[in-house]
Amino acid sequence: MGERDSSNGDVPVTVDSAATGSVRAPDDGDSVVEGQVYDCLIIGGGPAGLTAASYLGRFRRRVIVVDAGQSRAKWIPVSHNCPGFPDGISGLDLLDRLRKQALKSGVDFVEDTVCGLHRDGADFIAQARSPIHARTVLIATGILDTLPDAPDVPDMIATGSLRLCPICDAYEVIDKRIAVMGPATPAMKKALFMQAYTGDVTVLVPDAPVELDAEARALIARAGIDVEKCMLDSVHPSGNQAGIRLADGAVSTFDTIYPAMGCTILSKLATDLGAQRDEVGNLVVDPHQRTIIPGLYAAGDVVNEINQIAVAFGHAAIAATDIHNYLSGTERS
Ligand SMILES: Cc1cc2nc3c(=O)[nH]c(=O)nc-3n(C[C@H](O)[C@H](O)[C@H](O)COP(=O)(O)OP(=O)(O)OC[C@H]3O[C@@H](n4cnc5c(N)ncnc54)[C@H](O)[C@@H]3O)c2cc1C
């Protein structure tokens, strides 16, 4: 799996020389402390990274979050399955609350991209605009969705005519006219999931010879779902709906289209250090969110295919507590 580009953000990191320290008092903490060896560097400021930051801050650890600012949660117009928000919450509002909560516990936060990570004895040095020295690292970098190359995709996500995650929001499209588009096998799997919500599901596959594997053929036979060939990148808004050009040139419309086009799992910083991936590309961790590299942890979408905010929260709580215990067991004088 590839890594995103490593362009930098616009907030400087000023971490130079070594200093030790394990616990500290909470402060307002919205800037980098110079000359610091952090107890934990958290790479990624989405729901996983920010939740872990709050926990570790409240464990009185010296923590820095470095975030490139592309959380998937930013795309969520309104989430109705995020625990604790019965009337829904937008992704931006949720991220804002999580960040405020983390900052209240005294963590440092910078907008930047970590483009390399290596060992320094038992510690880690991260390459950002300035090197960041930390005793442990939590990888919370998430994934990048593969989306149709069409200009209106962001607007369509905002209005709900394009949705990415049936676990998140299929409940919002009960009895609607739905399409799932992408390579045949993953699209069929998503379409089968949608059948519990609506009887009107179409699978849209690329306008090319459709290579159905045996599993996909069996799924089609069982479900009796319509399969159409289409031009994936022709997806566009059509009033409140989504339109797409079919192989015969006609335009078909749906209340919502779900892409099933895969993603890039942003695991390279960890795998370059020797952390393992599973066959899908997710980082492999133990029940405490530890990779096989001592002191290197991972949480959220980069670990688990159930890409959910609640899963990110759970991973983060487990990882942060284990990081705190690991640090206590390796305390320096
Ligand atoms: C349209 C949409 C709707 C969704 N709706 C829901 C919903 O209703 N309910 C639900 O539970 N889930 C929903 N999700 C999924 C949810 O957004 C994710 O599961 C969640 O954001 C994962 O959190 P995370 O912290 O693991 O990763 P992310 O939120 O993706 O955060 C990862 C962060 O790491 C940063 N990063 C990556 N690489 C680096 C690097 N090298 N250096 C520094 N920073 C880096 C990224 O820029 C990003 O800010 C939705 C997702 C989408 C796209």
Side-chain angles (χ1 to χ4, degrees), residues 108-154:
D108 296 329
F109 184 99
V110 291
E111 293 172 26
D112 200 354
T113 300
V114 173
C115 46
L117 188 62
H118 57 268
R119 296 307 303 244
D120 179 42
D123 294 350
F124 298 85
I125 304 274
Q127 286 169 255
R129 273 194 297 273
S130 300
I132 300 172
H133 189 171
R135 295 177 59 204
T136 62
V137 174
L138 175 66
I139 304 285
T141 42
I143 63 173
L144 281 183
D145 296 285
T146 306
L147 295 171
D149 186 15
D152 293 310
V153 163

Side-chain angles (χ1 to χ4, degrees), residues 3-4 43-49 66-73 75-76 79 81 112-114 140-142 145 157 164 168 266 269 300-301 307-309 312:
E3 178 75 38
R4 71 174 62 220
I43 306 177
V66 179
D67 182 41
Q70 297 302 320
S71 168
R72 292 181 80 223
W75 291 82
I76 306 175
S79 172
N81 76 344
D112 200 354
T113 300
V114 173
T141 42
D145 296 285
I157 293 175
L164 301 191
C168 306
L266 301 178
L269 291 171
D301 284 4
N307 298 146
Q308 290 289 287
I309 294 162

